[in-house]
Amino acid sequence: MLLQIPQLFSPEEARQLRETLERAQWRDGRQTAGHLAQSVKRNEQLALDDPIAIQLGEQILARLGQNPLFISAALPARVLPPRFNRYAGGGTYGNHIDNAIFTIPGNGARVRTDISSTLFLSDPDSYDGGELVIEDTYGVHSIKLPAGHMVVYPGTSLHRVNPVTRGVRYASFFWTQSLVALDVQRRTLFELDTAIQRLTADHPEHPSISQLTGVYHNLLRLWSTT
């Protein structure tokens, strides 16, 4: 399931995050790439233990925990601490699929990358190129969102970042291990949850609400990997 989450951060909040990143110490992104990815990756990233990365990552995690759309769509069990990248001067990242497993720095816990997320932090008119291009069974999707907006998509997707030919593209990216491993099951639960919320808003006393809610939780109980 590919889903846009609008205004995880307001434009002003995104500007503040971006200004903090502009003061950061960036390093060659190929240092964090696997053997195959090194040949197609040309960007800059913050070190995982960089104080700015840790500080801003904690802000993002706190905001995610308050976002009903992300919680409904991702059903998060574990979220890897957010990372940050910078693209400029033709920077790009060719077609690749993310690693299936990452380790949380510091505690060694492993996260299965069911869901990939990209939080855009630069205004789209401030740079040329830089589209996140995702290929899935429904076709090719080119995504370039306003600052503060986020996109979530299956970690199994082939994707790339087009070259940035003008300006600078700042973003945060991270992975989520869901309570439900299969994308088709998460999509079903998300659609059911959305329908229940709409029914509750339009007909709060409708007797089917409790029955549908029970179906939702029984499916979650059946499909959960926890």
Side-chain angles (χ1 to χ4, degrees):
M1 176 172 59
L2 190 155
L3 180 69
Q4 295 184 19
I5 298 181
Q7 288 199 343
L8 184 68
F9 290 90
S10 70
E12 175 60 21
E13 290 172 326
R15 182 187 64 79
Q16 293 173 4
L17 293 172
R18 186 170 62 251
E19 288 180 350
T20 301
L21 291 174
E22 289 171 351
R23 301 191 300 269
Q25 297 295 317
W26 295 90
R27 65 179 190 175
D28 191 336
R30 287 174 294 185
Q31 296 179 22
T32 64
H35 176 69
L36 293 177
Q38 287 182 0
S39 64
V40 297
K41 185 176 186 180
R42 189 155 68 89
N43 67 2
E44 296 176 296
Q45 289 185 205
L46 294 187
L48 299 181
D49 59 354
D50 188 294
I52 287 179
I54 295 172
Q55 172 197 341
L56 299 188
E58 289 175 349
Q59 292 182 35
I60 292 172
L61 290 177
R63 188 62 57 89
L64 290 174
Q66 301 170 354
N67 189 278
L69 184 56
F70 175 77
I71 293 171
S72 177
L75 295 170
R78 289 178 175 173
V79 182
L80 199 73
R83 306 180 181 195
F84 299 87
N85 55 26
R86 179 184 186 274
Y87 290 83
T92 184
Y93 197 166
N95 278 336
H96 65 285
I97 293 178
D98 296 327
N99 292 350
I101 304 291
F102 280 100
T103 300
I104 297 179
N107 65 19
R110 295 182 177 180
V111 174
R112 187 184 63 240
T113 58
D114 298 323
I115 299 167
S116 299
S117 299
T118 295
L119 171 63
F120 289 78
L121 294 173
S122 294
D123 295 318
D125 59 357
S126 70
Y127 62 99
D128 292 335
E131 297 86 359
L132 172 64
V133 181
I134 301 169
E135 299 183 22
D136 60 18
T137 55
Y138 297 98
V140 179
H141 312 272
S142 180
I143 300 165
K144 187 174 181 178
L145 300 181
H149 293 227
M150 187 172 78
V151 61
V152 299
Y153 56 99
T156 54
S157 303
L158 183 70
H159 59 284
R160 66 181 181 272
V161 176
N162 285 340
V164 172
T165 57
R166 178 187 65 87
V168 181
R169 175 195 190 267
Y170 291 100
S172 176
F173 62 102
F174 56 92
W175 297 273
T176 301
Q177 178 173 320
S178 177
L179 294 169
V180 176
L182 296 182
D183 179 60
V184 64
Q185 295 174 344
R186 289 196 304 273
R187 177 188 292 272
T188 298
L189 288 168
F190 176 70
E191 291 175 350
L192 179 57
D193 185 31
T194 300
I196 292 171
Q197 293 183 44
R198 290 174 178 168
L199 179 61
T200 302
D202 295 339
H203 306 283
E205 304 300 326
H206 200 288
S208 294
I209 293 174
S210 58
Q211 183 179 13
L212 289 172
T213 302
V215 171
Y216 174 90
H217 285 287
N218 285 334
L219 287 174
L220 179 57
R221 186 178 293 110
L222 177 65
W223 291 338
S224 173
T225 58
T226 300

